[in-house]
Amino acid sequence: MKRLKEKAEKINISLTDDQIRQFQTYYELLIEKNKVMNLTAITELEDVITKHFLDSLALAEIYPDIVNPDSHYEILDLGTGAGFPGLPLKIAFPHLEITLMDSLNKRVKFLQEVIDALKLTGIHAVHGRAEEAARNKEYREHFDLCVSRAVANLSTLSEYCIPFVRVGGNFISYKASEIEEEAEKAKKAIQVLGGKLVEIKKITLPDTDLERSFVIIEKAKNTPKTYPRKAGTASKEPIK
């Protein structure tokens, strides 16, 4: 785990010994639970450090506002899976208020186990589908920031995520390095949903040749009430 501390410093994130211990416990819980359910195909410690932990934390490089301990950000991690990027962000920046949302209850129960084991506060694991949760007044247009590493077309992902973001907030999608064509095709969907494509920022993870693109979308106006559409529609029929 010293490698995580060293690599994090290269993207200007300073982790305490207590935080490193929390990451260690998270890793151990992840690997143990992965024996009985499919959480991640990446299991070697060095790979988890780089491709899960550091990759999650890289958000701070392109959105430095979240680092300020006096800032008050309510963040939704949609389709969080095994907790990425939300849990690493919470460990590194405990002042953030984070909601982890996933459609599979087994994963949500695992996330709650991690939250309890690490004694984290100001973080909630929620079982829900985006299409239904985004119609809940508690969540709709509530969050300052929605992040997602979920593997989905940007048009589809925008329909899932943008309805959760308050006007003036942002949706940031973690994407592979080559994203320009996909982003261009998603512009209509983003606009329809009340968003505006601000920019695409790219970084290379420290000590690797792994490139990560972040698509930054600002919420410019309220999402029409017709979105998101019923379950499955956004992926089968993306807005064009």
Side-chain angles (χ1 to χ4, degrees):
M1 280 295 165
K2 288 181 180 178
R3 295 283 294 138
L4 174 59
K5 189 178 180 75
E6 292 165 2
K7 289 187 177 187
E9 285 172 355
K10 292 183 179 181
I11 53 173
N12 302 311
I13 297 172
S14 180
L15 298 174
T16 66
D17 290 343
D18 283 344
Q19 288 169 320
I20 291 297
R21 280 191 287 270
Q22 286 181 311
F23 275 109
Q24 178 68 42
T25 302
Y26 183 12
Y27 172 73
E28 290 167 0
L29 291 169
L30 174 68
I31 297 308
E32 189 61 32
K33 184 63 74 171
N34 204 55
K35 293 174 183 176
V36 294
M37 63 180 287
N38 182 26
L39 288 169
T40 177
I42 298 168
T43 56
E44 292 298 323
L45 178 57
E46 185 75 19
D47 289 338
V48 171
I49 285 173
T50 301
K51 297 177 182 178
H52 281 329
F53 294 163
L54 199 67
D55 183 60
S56 295
L57 297 178
L59 178 70
E61 270 279 272
I62 60 100
Y63 203 75
D65 290 1
I66 64 169
V67 178
N68 181 359
D70 295 324
S71 67
H72 180 76
Y73 270 92
E74 289 198 49
I75 299 177
L76 173 65
D77 175 7
L78 190 64
T80 184
F84 307 117
L87 265 168
L89 288 170
K90 180 64 184 181
I91 294 170
F93 311 114
H95 59 279
L96 298 175
E97 291 282 332
I98 293 185
T99 299
L100 307 171
M101 187 176 289
D102 199 86
S103 61
L104 190 63
N105 201 34
K106 287 194 295 184
R107 285 197 288 257
V108 173
K109 287 181 178 178
F110 163 72
L111 296 172
Q112 191 60 54
E113 288 174 18
V114 177
I115 290 168
D116 293 343
L118 302 186
K119 296 181 171 59
L120 299 175
T121 58
I123 182 168
H124 309 281
V126 176
H127 176 226
R129 290 187 66 95
E131 300 96 333
E132 295 158 7
R135 296 192 173 279
N136 184 330
K137 289 180 181 179
E138 184 180 353
Y139 301 123
R140 189 176 183 89
E141 300 192 325
H142 170 81
F143 295 93
D144 303 299
L145 180 62
C146 178
V147 293
S148 185
R149 289 207 323 170
V151 180
N153 178 279
L154 187 59
S155 295
T156 301
L157 207 52
S158 294
E159 185 168 348
Y160 291 152
C161 294
I162 291 175
F164 288 100
V165 181
R166 65 168 177 80
V167 174
N170 291 276
F171 160 44
I172 299 181
S173 176
Y174 285 63
K175 284 286 186 180
S177 57
E178 299 304 318
I179 185 60
E180 284 76 11
E181 185 178 342
E182 185 179 328
E184 187 63 34
K185 289 180 179 178
K187 276 187 176 178
K188 175 69 183 299
I190 292 167
Q191 182 181 18
V192 167
L193 294 159
K196 180 176 70 174
L197 180 60
V198 177
E199 63 179 314
I200 297 170
K201 288 189 175 182
K202 298 191 176 192
I203 69 161
T204 301
L205 296 178
D207 303 329
T208 74
D209 57 0
L210 298 172
E211 280 196 345
R212 169 63 85 184
S213 292
F214 292 89
V215 183
I216 304 172
I217 295 167
E218 182 184 344
K219 184 70 171 278
K221 59 185 180 181
N222 297 108
T223 300
K225 292 180 180 179
T226 48
Y227 298 102
R229 292 166 291 170
K230 65 182 181 180
T233 307
S235 56
K236 291 175 186 173
E237 302 169 20
I239 301 167
K240 294 180 180 178

